Amino acid sequence: SLTMAERKCPACGSESLTDMDEGEFMCDDCGMELKEADFKYANYKIGVVRSVDDKGKLKVCKVDVGGGEGKELQIVTNAKHVAVDEKVVVATEGAVVPAGADADSGTIVAKANVGGTPSFGMLCDCPMLGWTGGAAGITVKLEEGDIGAAPPAERPRK
């Protein structure tokens, strides 16, 4: 679990938070009420795949994570099964992978060149999200959830 020092309000970035109890917090600056999952999944967003371009073993995907048309994130992945219109979870720049890890033990997602192509995030599998029951390397596909919202705290049951 994250220490208070590592917590920031996902809405305004403030580090001034009041612990309300039962794993709930309030941002002293913007008043937003927060739960543990809001920190765990900071910079993780539900997105919809808008295009997939095959480049050999890699795929270049454009994923809408809430920016709308023309503002999709370009993500390069080696995931085998990714298709247009699928709802996925994206770890965007600044996210710590796996979710809930601290910056020392986890990896902070940053813009990278993958196979010579800029990539602005990662498509998540179950282990990256801390979900049980899903295989590593298999992209999470969601049936529901709002574009741009944080993913659910556990793997949805079909």
Side-chain angles (χ1 to χ4, degrees), residues 36-111:
E36 194 73 45
D38 293 319
F39 304 109
K40 183 174 177 178
Y41 295 118
N43 297 313
Y44 283 77
K45 293 182 166 51
I46 294 173
V48 174
V49 179
R50 298 299 184 202
S51 68
V52 179
D53 190 10
D54 264 317
K55 301 264 190 207
K57 289 189 173 183
L58 297 174
K59 289 183 173 67
V60 180
C61 305
K62 298 272 179 148
V63 183
D64 180 358
V65 293
E69 200 169 332
K71 298 251 190 342
E72 297 90 352
L73 288 183
Q74 177 168 285
I75 296 175
V76 182
T77 181
N78 62 0
K80 290 180 179 58
H81 307 290
V82 184
V84 171
D85 291 335
E86 286 180 333
K87 202 169 266 193
V88 295
V89 180
V90 178
T92 65
E93 291 180 74
V96 178
V97 178
D102 60 35
D104 295 333
S105 65
T107 302
I108 297 174
V109 176
K111 178 187 169 203

Side-chain angles (χ1 to χ4, degrees), residues 7 11 27 34 54 81 94-95 108 119 121 130 137 141 143-144 148 155-156:
R7 294 203 165 114
C27 176
L34 303 160
D54 264 317
H81 307 290
I108 297 174
S119 183
K141 313 236 168 63
E143 299 291 320
E144 49 197 49
R155 187 175 177 214

Side-chain angles (χ1 to χ4, degrees), residues 25 28 38 113 141:
F25 304 86
D28 298 333
D38 293 319
N113 276 315
K141 313 236 168 63

